[in-house]
Amino acid sequence: HTGVMVQAGLNMGPCHACVLGWAKSFCKNLDDETKTIHDLKVVGATSMVWSIIRSVVPSEITDHIMECLEELPLLVT
């Protein structure tokens, strides 16, 4: 398996120490440029998937999702 697991967004931490924080899925110490390139790919892929969803799912559903998302903190990379 040559792929990578991508985790983007908020993380509640382990069960024994619930702490709200930004998710980090890098298991190596990568340089900032590599992390930035990886993040840009994640944001691009997520944007494409969301655009496809919005084109096929009724707007009543996606509008409700957008309203709920507005209550969450913005995604940072």
Side-chain angles (χ1 to χ4, degrees):
H1 177 310
T2 59
V4 294
M5 181 183 80
V6 176
Q7 184 179 18
L10 295 173
N11 183 346
M12 293 301 292
C15 292
H16 68 280
C18 292
V19 178
L20 180 63
W22 296 110
K24 178 181 175 188
S25 61
F26 296 113
C27 55
K28 302 178 199 173
N29 289 328
L30 302 173
D31 59 84
D32 287 341
E33 182 179 358
T34 304
K35 289 180 184 177
T36 300
I37 291 169
H38 186 268
D39 287 348
L40 288 173
K41 289 180 181 179
V42 170
V43 171
T46 304
S47 298
M48 286 177 53
V49 169
W50 180 242
S51 293
I52 292 168
I53 290 170
R54 295 213 51 182
S55 70
V56 296
V57 175
S59 63
E60 294 82 11
I61 296 171
T62 56
D63 290 345
H64 177 69
I65 293 170
M66 292 301 292
E67 290 170 9
C68 293
L69 290 175
E70 288 176 0
E71 298 173 11
L72 297 175
L74 296 175
L75 174 69
V76 295
T77 59

